[in-house]
Amino acid sequence: MSVTRVRMAPSPTGYFHVGSARTALFNWLFARQRSGTFVLRIEDTDAERNRAEHTEGIERAMLWLGLDWDEGPYFQSERGPLYEAAIKQLLDRDLVYACDCTSEQVAQRNKAAGRPPGYDGYCRDRHLEPVIGRLLRFRTPGTGSTSWTDMVRGDVVYENASIEDFSVRKSNGQPLFILANVVDDGDMAITHVVRGEDHVPNTPKHILLWEALGLGAPPVFAHLPLLVNESRQKLSKRRDKVALEDYRDEGYLPEAMVNYLALLGWSPGGDREVLSRQELIDEFRLEDVKSSPAFFDQQKLSSVNATYMRSLSPAVLAERAGQWLEARWTPLAPLVQERARTLAEIYGMVDFLYLPEVRTDQADWAKVRRQQPAFVGLLEAAEAGFALCEWDAEGIRDATVEAGNKVGVGTLGKAQAPVRLAVTGRTVGPPLFESLVLLGRRRTIARLAAARARAVREDQAQP
Ligand code: GLU
């Protein structure tokens, strides 16, 4: 049997999407059932979005699910010379060319000629020199077609004439996604590319580049179906709960999560739904994955999770619940220790970390609203600031001060009060910024938005 090598190639964007978790799982199952190799590669060529903590988040999320990798993580940010060598090879063979066009120029030309948007090949024969400092485009063949047999979608054909001369390197020398992705798949001898359906349009480019670089037979592709919500809309981070770590933090069991994720596009047949990890490895078939969108059903996930919880012995359940609780609040322990007088008081100080909804103390709510006329504006400014600041105590503190300044609320204490109320439901508690670090950016912002909406509703209800 030939060697199977698959990879998970996430871009560090700040959280691990449930769709990425499904992709990682399907790659992992495929590798494990064939005694193949599962590679983890971090696609971090975009230096602005690349942060060490994001990468750690990816690794933590995958390990939580038990998806261990055999090689890597490799970091694209450390592999620049490889991409430069590939570009040199393409330049030497005149398979890429330099281009100076701004997107406005391209748009104008297309508009004047009544063409659809997309690059029009203007610089193809201009042989602009030097190529350094200029964007490089791939010379896509104007005729013929590029096709592959997708393990999920069957035969897919693209007319080459419909593929624009896509760019492979930015003018600042940074390789673009498609180039680094193909070079690495070649270098890492990847045999099967298993990834989300959103990458289908990249695949003809992938194959053209692969061939241009003389990498031999292209890998086999399998594009996994889109995940949708109950309205059949693509999952979106604004609308839906898409971060895997939110499920972890709310106390879903990783084995239940793995089981549920395996059912997103695949089914073991019959009405079986509960499968152990080993059963998944034995029974999963990539070629049986369906191409139609898969409904990410939170209710179903909860019911699978409940099934797993019921199957634990009470002692094991208690132990795992204890571990989970501890993992959440332990970082706050030194701070809580200085304030709580009994063990029971600790609960009231840390429960905001566990409860999915804030339990707001009504007297505290009324007090802060009375004391702070700029409540709504302040929360709005804090939401905007928190979306961008560094997610550590200092960064959050600065963003709070800034939000206060924006709406003319004098002191940090005054700016802090509405934020604390919105997030913890109370006016007193452990140090706020450290607490928010633990609660996480997304949940913090969601709670600010919820409190703001409540305040707006109350104001509107006032005669
Ligand atoms: N970095 C790409 C992504 O996160 C990976 C694409 C691929 O798997 O080829 O979407």
Side-chain angles (χ1 to χ4, degrees):
M1 200 159 97
S2 64
V3 216
T4 297
R5 291 178 57 87
V6 292
R7 83 307 194 266
M8 178 66 198
S11 311
T13 50
Y15 68 100
F16 200 61
H17 194 287
V18 287
S20 301
R22 194 264 319 254
T23 301
L25 173 64
F26 284 17
N27 272 285
W28 184 87
L29 289 172
F30 190 66
R32 291 295 168 260
Q33 62 188 203
R34 294 172 156 229
S35 305
T37 302
F38 180 41
V39 176
L40 175 59
R41 176 171 88 217
I42 308 293
E43 304 218 316
D44 58 349
T45 49
D46 186 346
E48 287 139 41
R49 291 168 67 186
N50 163 18
R51 298 238 187 96
E53 78 238 34
H54 293 171
T55 302
E56 285 158 22
I58 292 169
E59 293 181 45
R60 225 179 307 126
M62 286 180 49
L63 291 175
W64 178 68
L65 292 174
L67 307 180
D68 53 336
W69 50 94
D70 309 301
E71 276 182 30
Y74 297 109
F75 294 90
Q76 288 194 327
S77 56
E78 293 170 1
R79 297 166 59 82
L82 216 66
Y83 312 135
E84 276 159 35
I87 285 168
K88 179 164 187 315
Q89 190 188 335
L90 295 168
L91 273 169
D92 288 348
R93 299 179 51 211
D94 200 27
L95 293 167
V96 292
Y97 60 89
C99 173
D100 261 351
C101 302
T102 63
S103 37
E104 291 79 31
Q105 288 168 332
V106 175
Q108 252 170 20
R109 287 197 302 262
N110 283 334
K111 197 167 165 214
R115 271 191 307 257
Y119 177 66
D120 57 352
Y122 182 77
C123 293
R124 256 186 170 229
D125 302 313
R126 291 175 71 207
H127 300 287
L128 291 173
E129 294 280 353
V131 295
I132 286 177
R134 288 192 159 103
L135 180 122
L136 291 182
R137 289 185 186 276
F138 184 75
R139 219 178 264 288
T140 303
T143 56
S145 61
T146 300
S147 61
W148 73 96
T149 302
D150 198 286
M151 279 180 84
V152 174
R153 310 171 68 82
D155 289 339
V156 186
V157 184
Y158 275 80
E159 294 305 323
N160 290 337
S162 72
I163 306 169
E164 68 173 17
D165 285 357
F166 54 92
S167 30
V168 297
R169 192 194 72 183
K170 290 192 198 169
S171 55
N172 68 7
Q174 207 181 65
L176 278 149
F177 156 74
I178 188 81
L179 182 100
N181 189 256
V182 171
V183 168
D184 279 349
D185 281 348
D187 185 65
M188 295 172 189
I190 298 302
T191 56
H192 295 76
V193 170
V194 182
R195 60 183 176 185
E197 164 184 293
D198 46 328
H199 284 289
V200 168
N202 288 327
T203 300
K205 301 174 190 171
H206 197 118
I207 295 172
L208 287 169
L209 254 182
W210 185 278
E211 286 167 352
L213 288 166
L215 291 169
V220 175
F221 290 90
H223 287 96
L224 308 177
L226 201 67
L227 300 188
V228 295
N229 64 17
E230 66 283 351
S231 318
R232 313 302 287 171
Q233 294 162 310
K234 183 178 170 183
L235 289 191
S236 103
K237 97 172 160 202
R238 296 194 151 268
R239 257 191 322 254
D240 310 298
K241 190 155 65 181
V242 296
L244 184 75
E245 46 266 45
D246 282 350
Y247 293 93
R248 178 194 62 203
D249 293 351
E250 285 175 17
Y252 285 81
L253 301 174
E255 60 270 36
M257 200 72 205
V258 161
N259 189 150
Y260 182 67
L261 289 171
L263 304 176
L264 295 173
W266 176 77
S267 150
D271 46 17
R272 280 173 70 214
E273 265 169 7
V274 177
L275 288 92
S276 70
R277 186 175 290 259
Q278 192 55 49
E279 285 171 326
L280 289 174
I281 294 175
D282 295 339
E283 296 183 38
F284 175 75
R285 290 288 168 269
L286 196 46
E287 52 274 40
D288 290 344
V289 171
K290 286 194 257 335
S291 62
S292 49
F295 174 27
F296 185 79
D297 183 348
Q298 298 198 19
Q299 310 244 335
K300 178 84 162 289
L301 167 59
S302 298
S303 102
V304 171
N305 196 58
T307 305
Y308 273 83
M309 282 181 56
R310 281 194 300 271
S311 74
L312 301 176
S313 71
V316 170
L317 179 64
E319 189 194 325
R320 292 190 62 178
Q323 285 167 355
W324 175 82
L325 287 166
E326 213 176 285
R328 300 290 304 277
W329 82 273
T330 304
L332 270 185
L335 305 170
V336 167
Q337 207 164 23
E338 300 191 355
R339 291 171 171 73
R341 288 158 306 178
T342 64
L343 293 175
E345 269 184 13
I346 294 177
Y347 182 73
M349 291 184 177
V350 301
D351 63 349
F352 72 94
L353 287 171
Y354 307 107
L355 300 172
E357 305 261 311
V358 188
R359 258 207 325 233
T360 305
D361 181 289
Q362 298 314 321
D364 284 353
W365 173 270
K367 184 166 122 201
V368 175
R369 291 238 46 205
R370 203 169 47 240
Q371 286 173 351
Q372 188 45 267
F375 187 87
V376 169
L378 181 90
L379 290 188
E380 192 169 11
E383 280 164 57
F386 287 2
L388 301 171
C389 71
E390 284 289 329
W391 203 251
D392 53 26
E394 205 178 315
I396 300 171
R397 182 184 178 280
D398 292 350
T400 308
V401 171
E402 228 171 274
N405 290 340
K406 229 192 236 171
V407 295
V409 169
T411 63
L412 175 62
K414 283 191 181 158
Q416 238 189 97
V419 173
R420 181 189 291 282
L421 178 74
V423 172
T424 69
R426 303 195 183 90
T427 51
V428 290
L432 181 63
F433 307 123
E434 283 81 355
S435 304
L436 299 191
V437 172
L438 288 182
L439 185 64
R441 191 195 302 269
R442 275 182 318 279
R443 254 175 304 180
T444 299
I445 294 175
R447 289 180 184 192
L448 296 181
R452 181 161 62 88
R454 172 176 170 188
V456 168
R457 273 196 312 274
E458 284 178 356
D459 291 347
Q460 281 165 351
Q462 299 281 323

